[in-house]
Amino acid sequence: MSDRRTFDTPIRSRWNTPIHNLLKAIDAHTELFLSHSDPWHLEKAEELRQYVAELKDWIHAEEAKHLADVGTGPRPQGGQE
């Protein structure tokens, strides 16, 4: 986990590096589009953006399911153990 990242979960941690690499690929496609005006690079950057958005939505949904499972059942409160 980088110094900039302040929140992580077991579900999220395995996807940090792939998402980072996808963002670098988006940047590369965008730079190539801007320098060569090849629309293929713009299309690929957009496809990758869509994939990253879908992946993040999936990660958030998985985290919500996991947190819902963790939150079930009674827990002692305020010294009532």
Side-chain angles (χ1 to χ4, degrees), residues 13-56:
S13 64
R14 72 172 12 176
W15 294 104
N16 286 336
T17 299
I19 289 172
H20 177 75
N21 289 331
L22 286 162
L23 295 175
K24 290 192 315 187
I26 291 167
D27 289 345
H29 279 296
T30 302
E31 288 175 17
L32 287 168
F33 170 73
L34 293 173
S35 64
H36 299 295
S37 300
D38 183 349
W40 183 83
H41 289 292
L42 194 58
E43 292 167 15
K44 295 305 157 190
E46 185 54 37
E47 289 174 13
L48 291 172
R49 276 188 208 95
Q50 183 62 38
Y51 173 72
V52 169
E54 290 174 14
L55 180 57
K56 286 183 173 184

Side-chain angles (χ1 to χ4, degrees), residues 1 46 58:
M1 194 159 79
E46 185 54 37
W58 177 83

